[in-house]
Amino acid sequence: MNVIICKDKEEMSLKAAALMAARIQAKPDLVLGLATGSTPIETYAKLADLYAQGELDFSQVTTFNLDEYEGLADDDVQSYHYFMETNLFSKVNLPKENIHFPNLDPAHYDQAIAEAGGIDLQLLGLGVNGHIAFIEPGDQLNDFTGLVTLTQQTIHVNSRFFEEEAEVPGRAYSMGIGSIMRAREILLLANGKSKAHAIGQMLNTPTITTQLPVSLIRLHPQATLILDEEAASEIR
Ligand code: F6R
């Protein structure tokens, strides 16, 4: 596992965008797994800039998003469809038919990923509680994509994007741990003090536990973590 520590979110985003751009340039029909949330916003902006400068072409790229809330329309401003459209898809030449979200046909999402050739590069953010996608800490984790219940902590943390906590959907469609681990390469981004504890738990001991889903990433043969100094501050 490569761990890269950057001085701030700007540097983290630059490095992440550079890595993603290099993979698309090397394989124009790359299959990309994508994350939403506050972490990758600047990374997506930098990818859009590279496209605007003529350095990136998304015309053959295929995307599979990690997750989507249950019950939100695609054009709902809180939906992850809307997030992706606003932050990336509307700014690049990615064909609509190449874009996939797990809420449409969750039972066949992993099959669709396999039929696309498997995910080449999976981008991940990190929940304060150690979740990746909406794979919440628990005694057991799902291998495949499905409908999952969010923890109260995740609902609370994500309520910052909603007017009130009661509006946050309690369930979401999420890739499973296997859906993520089958990706050929993983790029996990984490910035800010709130992520420091989970990163410390993940890296300070060799323990792998479903109670800290991100710890499973230690098993992946081709994983890179790009952190800012705050997120890295509890690494011993
Ligand atoms: C979103 C996702 C989540 C987020 C995580 C961190 O698609 O998969 O696991 O990456 O909750 O969210 P932010 O970046 O808002 O701190």
Side-chain angles (χ1 to χ4, degrees):
M1 197 168 49
N2 302 320
V3 181
I4 300 169
I5 299 174
C6 301
K7 71 172 191 310
D8 54 20
K9 192 184 191 193
E10 173 65 15
E11 192 185 325
M12 177 194 85
S13 307
L14 267 175
K15 284 205 159 63
L19 188 150
M20 293 173 75
R23 298 300 183 268
I24 295 169
Q25 283 155 350
K27 185 173 186 262
D29 60 348
L30 197 79
V31 180
L32 258 180
L34 296 176
T36 60
S38 48
T39 307
I41 290 178
E42 292 83 353
T43 302
Y44 290 148
K46 290 179 195 314
L47 288 173
D49 287 347
L50 288 171
Y51 168 72
Q53 291 155 15
E55 289 182 36
L56 267 187
D57 173 20
F58 288 81
S59 64
Q60 298 176 61
V61 171
T62 296
T63 64
F64 287 89
N65 262 82
L66 282 169
D67 39 22
E68 177 59 283
Y69 287 117
E70 181 190 28
L72 296 189
D74 293 359
D75 59 357
D76 190 305
V77 295
Q78 309 294 0
S79 75
Y80 287 169
H81 280 77
Y82 187 89
F83 173 98
M84 289 308 306
E85 193 58 30
T86 310
N87 288 291
L88 185 66
F89 297 160
S90 63
K91 300 179 180 171
V92 300
N93 64 335
L94 183 68
K96 287 258 171 295
E97 61 273 20
N98 291 10
I99 294 170
H100 303 85
F101 281 86
N103 56 319
L104 258 188
D105 188 5
H108 296 107
Y109 202 57
D110 290 273
Q111 193 183 323
I113 292 171
E115 283 167 5
I119 292 172
D120 291 304
L121 175 62
Q122 176 65 58
L123 180 65
L124 295 176
L126 172 64
V128 171
N129 64 358
H131 77 210
I132 47 177
F134 274 135
I135 303 169
E136 299 280 38
D139 291 340
Q140 47 194 25
L141 305 179
N142 295 332
D143 185 342
F144 301 108
T145 303
L147 188 59
V148 297
T149 301
L150 307 188
T151 61
Q152 199 48 49
Q153 187 184 14
T154 294
I155 289 172
H156 178 68
V157 169
N158 286 7
S159 68
R160 71 191 192 280
F161 299 112
F162 292 76
E163 284 196 356
E164 48 182 324
E165 195 161 319
E167 284 179 18
V168 185
R171 299 198 298 182
Y173 296 94
S174 175
M175 278 194 200
I177 192 71
S179 321
I180 291 171
M181 293 298 280
R182 282 185 286 276
R184 283 183 271 281
E185 181 175 8
I186 287 179
L187 172 60
L188 182 135
L189 307 182
N191 67 280
K193 199 83 197 106
S194 69
K195 308 294 171 72
H197 184 64
I199 290 291
Q201 278 187 299
M202 174 193 187
L203 298 180
N204 290 339
T205 74
T207 307
I208 288 159
T209 167
T210 58
Q211 298 297 341
L212 186 75
V214 71
S215 67
L216 274 290
I217 299 300
R218 291 175 63 109
L219 297 174
H220 196 281
Q222 193 61 47
T224 300
L225 271 52
I226 307 185
L227 315 172
D228 75 349
E229 280 178 2
E230 287 186 345
S233 61
E234 291 187 24
I235 300 175
R236 284 197 298 272

